[in-house]
Amino acid sequence: MTKARNRRIVLAKRPAGMPTDEHLVMEEVVRPTPGDGQMLLKTLYLSLDPYMRGRMSAARSYAASVELGEPMVGGTVSEVVESNVDGFAPGEIVLSSNGWQEYALSDGTAVRKLDPAVAPVTTALGVLGMPGFTAYVGLLEHGRPKPGDTVAVSAASGAVGQVVGQIAKLKGARAVGIAGSDDKCRYVVDELGFDAAVNYKSDDFTKQLAEACPNGIDVYFENVAGPVLEAVLPLFNDFARMPVCGTIAYYNLTELPAGRTRCLR
C-alpha cells in the first residue's frame, strides 16, 4: 500500500545575496502520523512575509534561523485532519505555523482555533493576524499619529502598509502611500482610502512625494529603506516619528549600503 506523501520546501543552502532555486528545494516525504498528544494539520493558506529572508540566514537575530534541510517557516491557516489533542477535533480550522509544507504535526502549542462565521479565515494571516497587529502597534505605540498629521508609509499596498494607512485615517491623519506601480497606487487610494499615493519607480518620485506631502511628514512608517528613505528624510518635520518595521531593500545585500541610511542595515 502506497503511503501518503507530504510535499514541502526546505532550506537546502544558505543564500548570500538574492536566493535562487538552489537554496529552496521541493521534496516529498512520507506524511507524518500523529502520536499521543499530537494532531495532523493540513495547510490551507500560507503567509509569505519579508521576515522569512532573515530566517534563511545563520546570523544572530530576534528569532532562530531555519536549519538546513528543514521546511521554511511560515504562518498558516490549517485544517485539523486527525487529532489526539484535547480540545481539537478533525475538520476544525486553526491558525498554526506549519511552514512551507502540506502537512505538519502539532501538540497544540501556539495553535488557535478560527471561526469562519466571525471573519474569513484568511484574515488570520493578514489584518486580524501578525501583519495587522504589527501595523496597529507600530503606528499607534511608536508613530503616535495626531489629527492633522501627515503619515507616510512605504510598501503601502502590502499586508502591513495597507493597515497602517487605514488606521492613520481613523485617527484623523492624512495618509500618503508609497508603492511600486501605478496599479498599486490606484488601489491604495481608490480601495484603501489613502489621500495620495506615489510610485517610487517614477523618474520624478522625489518631486511627486514632496507634492503629495506639502506640509511635510510627521510620521513615516518604514518598511523598505534604501532610495525611498532617502527621499523621505528631507520632508521630515520637527519631532517626526519613524517606526522601523522593515528594511526590505537591504535584505539581500552582502555588504553595508553607502549613504545616510546605512545605519538602518
Side-chain angles (χ1 to χ4, degrees), residues 179-186 198-201:
S181 73
D182 291 339
D183 284 344
K184 289 180 179 180
C185 288
R186 282 190 289 270
V198 183
N199 182 353
Y200 72 83
K201 295 181 181 178

Side-chain angles (χ1 to χ4, degrees), residues 1-237:
M1 181 176 180
T2 302
K3 293 185 177 180
R5 309 297 289 176
N6 180 27
R7 291 182 300 173
R8 59 185 196 172
I9 297 178
V10 302
L11 181 63
K13 183 179 179 181
R14 299 198 187 281
M18 182 68 72
T20 65
D21 290 347
E22 67 176 327
H23 300 110
L24 295 169
V25 176
M26 171 81 78
E27 67 176 22
E28 286 195 7
V29 296
V30 176
R31 193 176 78 181
T33 300
D36 292 340
Q38 292 182 320
M39 57 183 170
L40 179 66
L41 303 179
K42 179 181 180 180
T43 300
L44 302 179
Y45 300 99
L46 167 66
S47 180
L48 302 180
D49 305 289
Y51 77 83
M52 295 174 181
R53 176 60 183 85
R55 302 291 290 276
M56 297 171 73
S57 170
R60 182 179 178 183
S61 184
Y62 65 92
S65 302
V66 176
E67 296 294 335
L68 293 178
E70 290 299 314
M72 275 296 298
V73 297
T76 51
V77 168
S78 307
E79 178 184 355
V80 179
V81 178
E82 302 177 46
S83 179
N84 297 318
V85 179
D86 291 340
F88 292 93
E92 292 182 323
I93 307 300
V94 299
L95 176 64
S96 54
S97 296
N98 293 4
W100 295 17
Q101 57 183 338
E102 288 185 293
Y103 295 92
L105 294 179
S106 172
D107 62 2
T109 301
V111 174
R112 177 165 60 87
K113 290 184 184 181
L114 300 176
D115 186 350
V118 172
V121 294
T122 52
T123 59
L125 299 175
V127 64
L128 298 183
M130 179 273 290
F133 185 68
T134 299
Y136 183 91
V137 173
L139 182 63
L140 298 185
E141 294 295 321
H142 301 285
R144 305 184 304 280
K146 301 185 296 294
D149 277 354
T150 294
V151 175
V153 54
S154 55
S157 64
V160 174
Q162 63 179 250
V163 179
V164 169
Q166 293 178 84
I167 294 176
K169 291 293 294 180
L170 291 173
K171 293 298 180 180
R174 186 169 184 272
V176 177
I178 301 170
S181 73
D182 291 339
D183 284 344
K184 289 180 179 180
C185 288
R186 282 190 289 270
Y187 169 71
V188 164
V189 173
D190 297 343
E191 298 293 331
L192 302 180
F194 283 53
D195 294 285
V198 183
N199 182 353
Y200 72 83
K201 295 181 181 178
S202 300
D203 293 337
D204 59 346
F205 164 60
T206 300
K207 178 176 179 290
Q208 288 189 39
L209 183 63
E211 292 174 349
C213 304
N215 298 318
I217 292 174
D218 301 290
V219 181
Y220 173 53
F221 198 99
E222 173 65 297
N223 284 311
V224 301
V228 172
L229 178 57
E230 293 278 0
V232 167
L233 287 175
L235 302 177
F236 272 13
N237 290 327

